[in-house]
Amino acid sequence: MVDSPAEGAFRLPRPVTAVGRTGIGACYCPAMFMPEAVPESKAEIDAMTADFFGAFDNRGPGAADVARIRRLVLPGAVIVNTGPQYAVYSVDEFVEPRERLLADGRLVGFSEWETSERTDIAGDIASRFGEYRKSGVLDGEPFEGGGTKTIQFVRTPQGWRISAFAWYDRP
C-alpha cells in the first residue's frame, strides 16, 4: 500500500521557509526542521558570516585577522575555489598564504562583503548561498571583483561552525 494521494506518487516533506536578504522562499526539508530555532540560528549565522568576510579586511590601522578563520571553521573543513582556477584547500593551506598576502604589503586596502544571500536552516545544519564583492590594491594596482560563495554550517556543542565553503570569482 502506498501512502500518497496517487498510487506510486512521491510525497514531499512539509515545506519550510528560507530567509535571505534577497527575499523569502520555500524549500522542502526533512521533518527534523525546527522552525522555532530559525530566527536565533539565522542571526548567529549572519554574525558568523560577517566575521568570516571581516577576517580578510586590512583597511585601516589594524592588520587582517585571517587566523580568525581557524576559529570559525571545523578543523577538517573542506575549502574549494572553483574558478577561474580550481583548487581544494585544507584550513591551513587556505589561511597561511592569505595571512602573508594581507600582511606583506602586496594587498592593501582590501575588503570583501556579501551583497545578497539565501540561508536554509534544517535542524543543526544550514546552507548559505550568496554573492559578494571585493576591492583593494594588489601590487600597486586598484582592483574590484566579485563572485559567488556557498557556506555550509553545522551546529556543534560550541555553537555554529563552518564545515565547508566554496567560491567562484568572476573574472
Side-chain angles (χ1 to χ4, degrees), residues 7 17 20 33 39 122 130 139-141 153 163:
E7 184 68 30
T17 302
F33 178 73
D139 295 328
E141 295 293 323
F153 298 89
S163 60

Side-chain angles (χ1 to χ4, degrees), residues 44 48 70-75 124 154-162:
E44 291 173 23
M48 179 173 277
R70 290 186 180 98
R71 296 186 301 272
L72 298 174
V73 304
L74 296 175
D124 292 334
V154 295
R155 189 186 338 249
T156 72
Q158 294 75 40
W160 288 98
R161 295 293 181 267
I162 296 169

Side-chain angles (χ1 to χ4, degrees), residues 48 51-52 55-56 66-79 89-92 94-95 151-154 156 158-165:
M48 179 173 277
D51 229 12
F52 173 86
F56 305 100
V66 184
R68 175 187 322 171
I69 298 299
R70 290 186 180 98
R71 296 186 301 272
L72 298 174
V73 304
L74 296 175
V78 177
I79 303 167
Y89 305 96
S90 69
V91 175
D92 287 337
F94 176 80
V95 169
I151 307 173
Q152 307 306 307
F153 298 89
V154 295
T156 72
Q158 294 75 40
W160 288 98
R161 295 293 181 267
I162 296 169
S163 60
F165 63 92

Side-chain angles (χ1 to χ4, degrees), residues 32-72:
M32 71 179 165
F33 178 73
M34 299 181 294
E36 66 279 357
V38 170
E40 179 181 311
S41 293
K42 177 71 165 66
E44 291 173 23
I45 290 168
D46 286 347
M48 179 173 277
T49 302
D51 229 12
F52 173 86
F53 279 98
F56 305 100
D57 193 326
N58 71 351
R59 299 171 298 168
D65 182 16
V66 184
R68 175 187 322 171
I69 298 299
R70 290 186 180 98
R71 296 186 301 272
L72 298 174

Side-chain angles (χ1 to χ4, degrees), residues 54-159:
F56 305 100
D57 193 326
N58 71 351
R59 299 171 298 168
D65 182 16
V66 184
R68 175 187 322 171
I69 298 299
R70 290 186 180 98
R71 296 186 301 272
L72 298 174
V73 304
L74 296 175
V78 177
I79 303 167
V80 181
N81 179 0
T82 64
Q85 186 172 346
Y86 180 82
V88 178
Y89 305 96
S90 69
V91 175
D92 287 337
E93 289 168 340
F94 176 80
V95 169
E96 290 168 3
R98 285 158 183 82
E99 283 179 313
R100 284 192 302 276
L101 179 64
L102 289 160
D104 70 5
R106 286 190 55 222
L107 179 57
V108 296
F110 181 77
S111 66
E112 189 174 59
W113 62 96
E114 220 175 19
T115 59
S116 66
E117 58 85 20
R118 174 189 166 131
T119 302
D120 295 324
I121 303 168
D124 292 334
I125 61 173
S127 181
R128 188 176 188 107
F129 195 84
E131 300 293 313
Y132 67 94
R133 300 286 304 153
K134 60 184 175 177
S135 67
V137 178
L138 178 62
D139 295 328
E141 295 293 323
F143 75 93
E144 291 185 2
T148 304
K149 277 192 185 2
T150 179
I151 307 173
Q152 307 306 307
F153 298 89
V154 295
R155 189 186 338 249
T156 72
Q158 294 75 40

